[in-house]
Amino acid sequence: MEKFTQLDGLVAPMDRANVDTDMIIPKQFLKSIKRSGFGPNLFDELRYLDEGKPDQDCSQRPKNPDFVLNQPRYDGASILLARQNFGCGSSREHAPWALLDYGFRCVIAPSFADIFYNNCFKNGILPIVLDDATVDSLFTEVAGAEGYRLTVDLDAKEIRTPSGRSITFDVDDFRRHCLINGLDDIGLTLEKSDAIKAFEAKHQASQPWLFRQV
Amino acid sequence: MAGKTLYDKLWDNHLVEERDDGTSLIYIDRQLLHEVTSPQAFEGLRIAGRKPWRLDTNLATPDHNVPTTLKERKEGNAGIEDPVSKIQVVTLDENCDDFGITEFKINDIRQGIVHVVGPEQGATLPGMTLVCGDSHTATHGAFGALAHGIGTSEVEHVLATQCLIQRKMKNMLVKVNGTLVAGVTGKDIVLAVIGKIGTAGGNGCAIEFGGEAIRNLSMEGRMTICNMAIEAGARVGLVAVDQTTIDYVKGRPFAPTEAQWEQAVEVWSDLHSDADAVFDTVVELEAADIEPQVTWGNSPEMVLPVSGIVPNPAEQAEEDQQKAYARALEYMGLKAGQSITDIKLDSVFIGSCTNSRIEDLREAAAVAKGKKVAANVKQALVVPGSGLVKAQAEKEGLDKVFVEAGFEWREPGCSMCLAMNADKLGVGEHCASTSNRNFEGRQGFGGRTHLVSPGMAAAAAVAGHFVDVRDVLQAN
């Protein structure tokens, strides 16, 4: 996993509540057996006017001029500003894979769906929860200034705006530690193998039926 | 000290280690696998040179991509016409064969939707922790099991370590008091709950469903409710164990037997919230107030009783809601003030991990019996949840009831719930669907989904538009 320490990035606004995982990456693209290549189909049904198909050359497809990411001013954005309950719906990790493949490393919203929030951390994306008023103010600032960028400092748990305003945010210590160091969860958990084995032995003794072969 | 909730008990029983910041390692008793969210996990194991921690506890079956027509199914994987779908199903077979994981392959009679197969086989047991790379894993909470939907990285993590990194959630109780009116089902309860608390209402919570109306439900009804906990934002739905649970589990292929059965039943008898347990949030509904429900928009919270009127965006309090409602009406091709019963249907889908079990099919067949699908309904599909559900339905003659009424009787799979196979809606088509999500494009590009119970879907198929299933049942 790529480390996340500090990000200075262009911000793209997605002014819509309850953006669901089907919207982020429609089901026909879940048939891939890879983790990469989902970027061209991020927000497919909002971004293009036709129906997307797997393995298609998206550069030739008609784009929806009204969709925010199709506006040239947001080309190269790496921070997505969003509304409440972002990422609701399915557990598909293809959603963060698509955001990452497109170039997003950070999503800021007043709230996230649980599974999506969790999936982001596994892929080097930082989801940041800020209160509604702060998110509103950022939407206003992005709309008002072309080329609007934010600096996200995970170590300091702080976002800095172009005007010098500092916004602090919260994130679990463990998740922060993993992101900053690009650590693989599995490797860390396997360091606890003895504790897992001890638990397992006790568990098997008290509920042996849970250890029947299926 | 206050007593424990069911969720507290399940959590405590599986806690391996808790870190200072609250991040915890919990032990996972069972993982269910399917073809969509597992290939990258197996690939990850291979790249890192890791082996599954426990082979004996993983159970796999292909469901999302499998075709449901007999023509394609007859030839097994070779018959899958979509080459991309085929690769995914074949990859699951190869991964399970390589690693030695039990899989019910495409034409095994035990194959089906993973959330139907687990309970049916007794692979889902009370008191266990269960995960699957699918958000509807919440279904298994109906057994008093702690079931989480997880992402692919977590699928790999559980395969490699038998543990999941979690933070404890908050406790929410949804209490449904009193008794349901005939013709009103678990599906209507859960849609009404989502309508009340919203799709983010359960974020960060494990929702326990309780109260007399829940206690009176069958396991199928409870599974339908827990299945859609995720549509209320909760990763986990739960129902306490009682005699209904135990009777359902007894004798299933992977259920404990003999002395272990007696021991298990004793352990399971504690799987309920203590009388003095404290919940962070309590929501109460009166069962008698719940009518058959129909969604009108593109979020499961956009739901109304069948007697309802499509809302006017301008009359909503919040600006966000005004915008969301206006967008939903435009996408759905509906007008404010229109009666729900005036919505005409092009398609009907009875199936999905929410409503494809035998009881769901019986409920739909009771309505469809001796009737005909309306001329304006171009396609009416019944897709059983598993090969065993299909066989049971055929034994009861339900397939004939459906076929005689003009429904198509299909092979088991996820089918048109998310249209990853060939079963999908056309642009602008309205579908009465027993599935769980009415998101834009979910059932096909430009498709318009209305979520309902199986009885409501069957009644709508016959009438060609929404009707109150209670009127149909009464007339019968």
Side-chain angles (χ1 to χ4, degrees):
Chain A
M1 186 173 81
E2 202 178 326
K3 291 180 186 179
F4 190 114
T5 47
Q6 213 178 63
L7 173 70
D8 168 52
L10 185 69
V11 183
M14 178 101 185
D15 193 1
R16 178 169 181 155
N18 297 310
V19 170
D20 60 67
T21 50
D22 282 79
M23 236 180 261
I24 298 174
I25 183 84
K27 71 269 167 190
Q28 63 268 39
F29 306 108
L30 310 186
K31 297 181 187 185
S32 166
I33 56 170
K34 299 188 219 131
R35 282 175 195 256
S36 56
F38 297 101
N41 301 109
L42 174 70
F43 299 123
D44 198 275
E45 290 185 7
L46 303 173
R47 207 163 138 194
Y48 304 100
L49 294 170
D50 62 345
E51 181 180 0
K53 299 190 172 62
D55 299 326
Q56 191 181 12
D57 176 7
C58 291
S59 65
Q60 304 304 313
R61 296 173 58 196
K63 287 194 171 136
N64 175 0
D66 298 333
F67 183 58
V68 65
L69 295 184
N70 288 334
Q71 297 173 29
R73 63 181 283 192
Y74 299 118
D75 279 354
S78 59
I79 299 172
L80 185 65
L81 184 62
R83 293 291 186 186
Q84 76 206 35
N85 202 26
F86 187 85
C88 60
S90 106
S91 68
R92 61 187 70 164
E93 202 156 314
H94 312 68
W97 293 338
L99 286 164
L100 189 68
D101 200 57
Y102 182 91
F104 288 114
R105 290 296 310 277
C106 176
V107 186
I108 301 173
S111 62
F112 292 91
D114 293 349
I115 305 180
F116 174 82
Y117 182 78
N118 201 38
N119 282 341
C120 283
F121 285 100
K122 312 285 181 194
N123 292 283
I125 297 176
L126 175 63
I128 298 178
V129 178
L130 297 177
D131 62 73
D132 278 310
T134 308
V135 170
D136 274 343
S137 73
L138 291 176
F139 267 100
T140 308
E141 289 177 24
V142 173
E146 205 166 320
Y148 184 89
R149 302 177 77 85
L150 289 172
T151 301
V152 178
D153 184 340
L154 179 56
D155 196 40
K157 296 195 269 190
E158 182 191 55
I159 298 170
R160 289 183 288 274
T161 71
S163 65
R165 179 161 62 120
S166 158
I167 302 162
T168 55
F169 61 88
D170 234 3
V171 55
D172 291 346
D173 289 344
F174 176 70
R175 284 174 160 149
R176 176 161 150 266
H177 173 74
C178 289
L179 262 188
I180 286 176
N181 297 294
L183 294 177
D184 164 16
D185 273 357
I186 297 178
L188 288 175
T189 300
L190 285 174
E191 288 174 13
K192 312 275 181 193
S193 289
D194 289 346
I196 300 170
K197 282 181 191 151
F199 176 89
E200 199 167 47
K202 195 177 57 152
H203 198 49
Q204 185 164 10
S206 64
Q207 297 183 60
W209 56 88
L210 295 175
F211 289 77
R212 257 187 88 177
Q213 162 87 45
V214 294
Chain B
M1 206 173 94
K4 288 180 176 183
T5 64
L6 172 56
Y7 173 64
D8 294 338
K9 292 179 185 180
L10 292 166
W11 176 268
D12 291 349
N13 285 340
H14 291 87
L15 185 64
V16 176
E17 195 180 86
E18 186 174 350
R19 292 190 176 88
D20 291 343
D21 72 344
T23 313
S24 303
L25 214 51
I26 62 166
Y27 188 82
I28 300 302
D29 294 311
R30 176 88 66 236
Q31 173 149 239
L32 302 174
L33 298 154
H34 62 86
E35 78 279 16
V36 180
T37 55
S38 67
Q40 296 89 348
F42 283 113
E43 183 199 49
L45 286 185
R46 278 199 193 91
I47 290 170
R50 290 176 176 135
K51 292 214 171 347
W53 181 279
R54 264 179 73 188
L55 278 176
D56 60 356
T57 188
N58 296 290
L59 181 63
T61 192
D63 55 6
H64 286 63
N65 278 278
V66 297
T68 61
T69 57
L70 194 56
K71 181 176 157 280
E72 281 188 81
R73 281 294 273 274
K74 267 195 310 207
E75 293 168 48
N77 289 350
I80 306 177
E81 282 171 14
D82 178 341
V84 201
S85 287
K86 188 195 285 185
I87 290 173
Q88 216 166 36
V89 175
V90 168
T91 303
L92 179 68
D93 289 1
E94 288 172 355
N95 283 326
C96 290
D97 292 347
D98 280 3
F99 284 94
I101 288 171
T102 303
E103 183 196 4
F104 299 155
K105 293 195 167 72
I106 187 164
N107 282 346
D108 189 313
I109 193 167
R110 298 167 297 176
Q111 176 272 342
I113 306 172
V114 73
H115 308 307
V116 175
V117 170
E120 185 173 80
Q121 293 294 323
T124 304
L125 293 172
M128 66 168 29
T129 43
L130 181 153
V131 294
C132 175
D134 190 287
S135 58
H136 292 110
T137 308
T139 308
H140 309 265
F143 290 81
L146 179 55
H148 295 84
I150 58 176
T152 298
S153 294
E154 290 174 313
V155 170
E156 184 182 342
H157 189 277
V158 174
L159 279 170
T161 70
Q162 213 54 48
C163 289
L164 189 65
I165 301 173
Q166 275 289 300
R167 285 180 75 85
K168 198 170 174 199
M169 301 176 214
K170 289 196 167 134
N171 281 293
M172 180 188 272
L173 175 65
V174 171
K175 200 168 167 217
V176 190
N177 301 315
T179 45
L180 288 172
V181 178
V184 180
T185 66
K187 182 64 163 281
D188 302 303
I189 292 182
V190 73
L191 285 171
V193 169
I194 297 164
K196 187 176 168 98
I197 70 174
T199 52
N203 277 6
C205 298
I207 302 182
E208 180 175 341
F209 296 93
E212 189 187 347
I214 304 291
R215 295 260 68 83
N216 288 339
L217 284 175
S218 64
M219 287 313 292
E220 282 91 340
R222 295 176 189 182
M223 283 190 256
T224 301
I225 290 181
C226 289
N227 172 277
M228 288 189 73
I230 186 69
E231 265 58 69
R235 254 178 123 164
V236 165
L238 286 167
V239 174
V241 172
D242 60 11
Q243 198 56 42
T244 305
T245 326
I246 289 167
D247 291 345
Y248 182 96
V249 173
K250 191 168 188 182
R252 301 214 170 243
F254 300 125
T257 52
E258 298 169 8
Q260 277 191 9
W261 171 259
E262 302 301 325
Q263 198 191 341
V265 169
E266 199 183 318
V267 169
W268 297 343
S269 68
D270 186 46
L271 295 175
H272 54 79
S273 291
D274 294 333
D276 57 344
V278 178
F279 287 86
D280 300 285
T281 318
V282 178
V283 176
E284 292 199 52
L285 281 85
E286 298 303 320
D289 296 344
I290 301 174
E291 286 183 49
Q293 306 281 304
V294 180
T295 67
W296 56 269
N298 299 118
S299 165
E301 70 186 29
M302 294 174 176
V303 64
L304 284 168
V306 63
S307 61
I309 304 286
V310 174
N312 186 346
E315 287 168 9
Q316 306 312 306
E318 306 281 332
E319 196 194 330
D320 278 2
Q321 207 174 23
Q322 292 174 4
K323 281 200 284 189
Y325 275 37
R327 196 161 41 218
L329 290 191
E330 194 193 334
Y331 181 86
M332 294 297 288
L334 298 176
K335 289 193 176 63
Q338 182 177 357
S339 296
I340 290 289
T341 48
D342 285 344
I343 300 173
K344 289 206 163 45
L345 297 156
D346 306 288
S347 183
V348 172
F349 171 60
I350 298 172
S352 87
C353 59
T354 313
N355 280 128
S356 65
R357 298 179 182 83
I358 189 66
E359 185 175 281
D360 301 316
L361 302 188
R362 287 177 189 143
E363 181 190 319
V367 174
K369 191 166 188 172
K371 307 224 169 58
K372 291 283 176 208
V373 170
N376 57 298
V377 175
K378 287 172 270 185
Q379 186 170 48
L381 293 184
V382 184
V383 186
S386 71
L388 288 167
V389 169
K390 180 168 184 264
Q392 177 63 31
E394 288 174 353
K395 204 167 121 189
E396 296 177 21
L398 305 184
D399 57 326
K400 290 197 184 67
V401 170
F402 287 121
V403 170
E404 278 163 17
F407 288 85
E408 294 175 49
W409 178 244
R410 295 290 189 95
E411 300 299 307
C414 299
S415 182
M416 210 203 269
C417 172
L418 84 171
M420 275 189 78
N421 68 353
D423 310 335
K424 55 185 79 162
L425 295 180
V427 174
E429 287 183 346
H430 285 271
C431 179
S433 177
T434 66
S435 56
N436 41 59
R437 290 192 177 131
N438 52 353
F439 298 157
E440 289 181 17
R442 169 90 178 174
Q443 293 191 292
F445 184 74
R448 294 161 170 169
T449 304
H450 301 276
L451 304 175
V452 289
S453 70
M456 281 291 286
V462 169
H465 57 88
F466 287 114
V467 289
D468 190 330
V469 65
R470 293 173 298 180
D471 296 340
V472 178
L473 290 171
Q474 222 159 33
N476 285 358

